[in-house]
Amino acid sequence: MVSTSKIKSVDFYRKIPRDLTEASLSGAGLSIIAAFCMIFLFGMELNDYLTVSTSTSIIVDKSSDGDFLRIDFNLSFPALSCEFASIDVSDVLGTNRLNITKTVRKYSIDSNLKPTGSEFQSGQISTAIKHDEEVDEEHGEGAVTLNSHNFDRVSHQHPILVVNFYAPWCYWSNRLKPSWEKAAKIIRERYDPEFDGRILLGKVDCTEEVELCRRNHIQGYPSIRIFRKGSDVREDHGHHEHESYYGDRDTDSLVKTMEDMVAPISLQSQSASDSQPSKMTDDAKRPAPLTGGCRIEGFVRVKKVPGNLIISARSASHSFDASQMNMSHVISHFSFGKTISPRVMSGMKQVLPYLGGSHDRLNGMRYISNPSDSNANVTIEHYLQVVKTEVMTRSYKLVEDYEYTAHSSLVHSVDIPVAKFHFEPSPMQVLITENSKSFSHFITNVCAIIGGIFTVAGILDSVLHNTMRLMKKVELGKHF
């Protein structure tokens, strides 16, 4: 067996008897300073070990969401009716999607951007509305001319008042005019206003009665409105509740529609509120917008190539006065990519404070244009450059964030004004990786701190002690 003395011979830390050691005041001071240095440097090393470090690199976009990019938006247009508001998407590859409705919701809003009711149901408007093929130049005048002076009085005299809001310069108004006048004459003969009076057809020239048309939120021509006495002809802060007609515009269809509306109303009651309005299976008649503004919210998916998201007034059977179109809007939300939960974003910002700063750069921005003689036909354009940022956490969790820069301008247009968002995704992406730190490296550094300070303190103590002894010897030598 190996003897105990042989084992002791490999002791690296041989002890000096306490009687052979000497304590000094300078050594005590250095020991205290060394202890504080050890504690301070240990704290610094521990903080560095617990702090997350990151590395940033630029790579080609290899998104997990494929070739498509989601755009979320919430936009308010104080002067664009939900009746004609259209969301279109196009790109450089030739994609052209018009009037997207599946993932988009519309709400009528007032001048204070407050919703005035439930979701506006735009329905399906036929792209090929039927008109009379032969135009009869001798159609005569059958519809009653209405203006701001007699409109309210006439609307309360008849259970049903159907009004054609038109503009003389409008192509579609001129196509409707002959059939409207003929239908009005037929209805007048069948339901004499003096003896029957259950229905009356009228017309309003919006170039002459600008305020009357504005009060009824007319933005496209021609607009056919249906007013019902006692039911939906009631004033609420200057607004009328009524219906819009979107069906065929030939004489036979117009006459049939009017007769279907009159049928439920008895001659004795003379009130449209006493009976239920007829339901039309062809979706030709729907509630008209309560106000002249519209809030549009939802999302669209686009290809990751330069393209445009366009909001405009659009209809295949209406005309618009470009000089009166106002595309002013307020952006409540506009972002790219999947929505990041606040909890995840808060956690990421603790590591990367600048992350998410440009995720919704346009939020809360207002772009106001007031059409006038010198400021008409104004298109509001936004140029957006989109860059994707991916954060790979130490737990191998991937967080994706799309940030963008935005530049906006007001441009005079020769066509119908629009609100255009031109987006340009970058082919590169920023990859941020959280770097994990080795625990063994942390232990090694702690040992190096303790050993290094202990050794340096020992050297300083030895130098200081020997210096003081030397000085004492010199001083004693002077006395002898």
Side-chain angles (χ1 to χ4, degrees), residues 32 47 74 94 125 198 267 275 332 377:
I32 294 174
N47 179 71
N74 186 331
I125 299 178
R198 283 179 288 175
L267 187 60
S275 60
S332 299
N377 293 49

Side-chain angles (χ1 to χ4, degrees), residues 145 147 220 321 341 476:
T145 300
N147 52 47
D321 185 354
S341 67
L476 290 173

Side-chain angles (χ1 to χ4, degrees), residues 78-112:
L80 176 63
S81 173
C82 288
E83 185 177 14
F84 301 112
S86 174
I87 297 86
D88 309 328
V89 170
S90 62
D91 60 39
V92 296
L93 296 181
T95 302
N96 194 19
R97 297 157 57 198
L98 304 178
N99 196 19
I100 299 172
T101 58
K102 186 175 181 180
T103 58
V104 176
R105 299 179 300 277
K106 303 175 187 176
Y107 299 88
S108 293
I109 57 174
D110 58 21
S111 57
N112 296 319

